[in-house]
Amino acid sequence: MPSEVSICNKALRYIGAEEIASLSQESRGARLCAQYYPEVRDELLEAHHWNFATRYAVLPQVAQEPPFGFLHAYRLPQDCLRVRRVLQHAAGVLQGGAAVADDETGIRTFEVVEGGILYTDVSPARAVMTVRVTETACFPALFAEALARKLAADMAVALTGSTRLYAGLRDGADKALDTARTADAGEGHADPQEYEGWLRARWI
């Protein structure tokens, strides 16, 4: 089971730097890990609609007057990193800021502004969000690997001064993120090769 320290130590090993015992110890590696870790974690969480970081919630409406073009204002939870979509009704959703309905009519928008306020015409606002997950026990193994590799890339120049090392680590981080995204997107769906094999066994 990963921990913040174990993820940071994996990143330090990729760099070739000395490992740490805690994020609060007096060393350059620990200070950089403490600085970069929460930033990199949140960047990765925002980069994909992760299943483990998804929350469905009815947003509380706030009393403030929404700007021209919107009917309602809602408050987002403090740990919301990104609103993926707002459910409009059974037949359609607001996705990426634009409503998608069965008949492609009645296009509406939502907008998230500073202060964690969401404006929309929809009432009630049922939001699908990516939230900040700080408990490392919730991280899938491939996400933890992608986090360690991106953390290594982001700290490489500060720790070693090597842009060549950064470039190599960045390439590894991108590949690890792609792998984690692909695995996450496939959760809940049969693997095509496994499904094809099952069909052959069942019908042939």
Side-chain angles (χ1 to χ4, degrees):
M1 184 178 300
S3 66
E4 291 185 357
V5 172
S6 70
I7 292 171
C8 288
N9 277 332
K10 179 176 278 192
L12 291 170
R13 288 196 297 272
Y14 284 135
I15 297 172
E18 184 178 350
E19 295 186 22
I20 62 175
S22 74
L23 295 179
S24 59
Q25 78 179 48
E26 289 298 322
S27 71
R28 181 162 178 75
R31 287 193 295 271
L32 286 172
C33 284
Q35 174 186 344
Y36 280 87
Y37 176 86
E39 299 174 2
V40 174
R41 178 201 62 214
D42 287 359
E43 286 175 12
L44 284 190
L45 287 170
E46 287 192 64
H48 175 72
H49 188 15
W50 304 100
N51 288 298
F52 74 92
T54 297
R55 180 185 300 166
Y56 298 79
V58 178
L59 302 178
Q61 194 162 356
V62 296
Q64 75 181 63
E65 186 74 17
F68 177 79
F70 294 102
L71 298 178
H72 308 286
Y74 299 90
R75 184 169 300 283
L76 296 169
Q78 290 186 347
D79 59 355
C80 175
L81 293 176
R82 187 171 179 181
V83 178
R84 298 296 176 175
R85 55 188 183 268
V86 175
L87 303 180
Q88 181 175 226
H89 48 66
V93 299
L94 295 178
Q95 188 166 19
V100 181
D102 286 347
D103 58 1
E104 295 298 325
T105 62
I107 300 300
R108 296 178 178 178
T109 60
F110 71 83
E111 182 176 337
V112 177
V113 298
E114 188 175 359
I117 301 297
L118 180 143
Y119 298 128
T120 182
D121 292 345
V122 178
S123 180
R126 301 177 177 88
V128 183
M129 301 168 288
T130 295
V131 297
R132 179 178 295 108
V133 178
T134 59
E135 180 51 63
T136 56
C138 298
F139 294 168
L142 291 176
F143 178 86
E145 173 67 12
L147 177 53
R149 286 188 176 275
K150 188 175 189 309
L151 186 60
D154 285 7
M155 296 192 301
V157 174
L159 274 175
T160 70
S162 173
T163 55
R164 176 176 294 182
L165 177 61
Y166 164 78
L169 291 172
R170 184 69 190 189
D171 183 61
D174 290 342
K175 291 177 180 177
L177 178 56
D178 286 344
T179 300
R181 281 171 165 166
T182 300
D184 186 78
E187 277 193 357
H189 301 281
D191 182 86
Q193 293 180 345
E194 293 180 355
Y195 184 64
E196 183 181 353
W198 180 85
L199 284 177
R200 286 198 300 268
R202 176 65 177 82
W203 296 108
I204 297 176

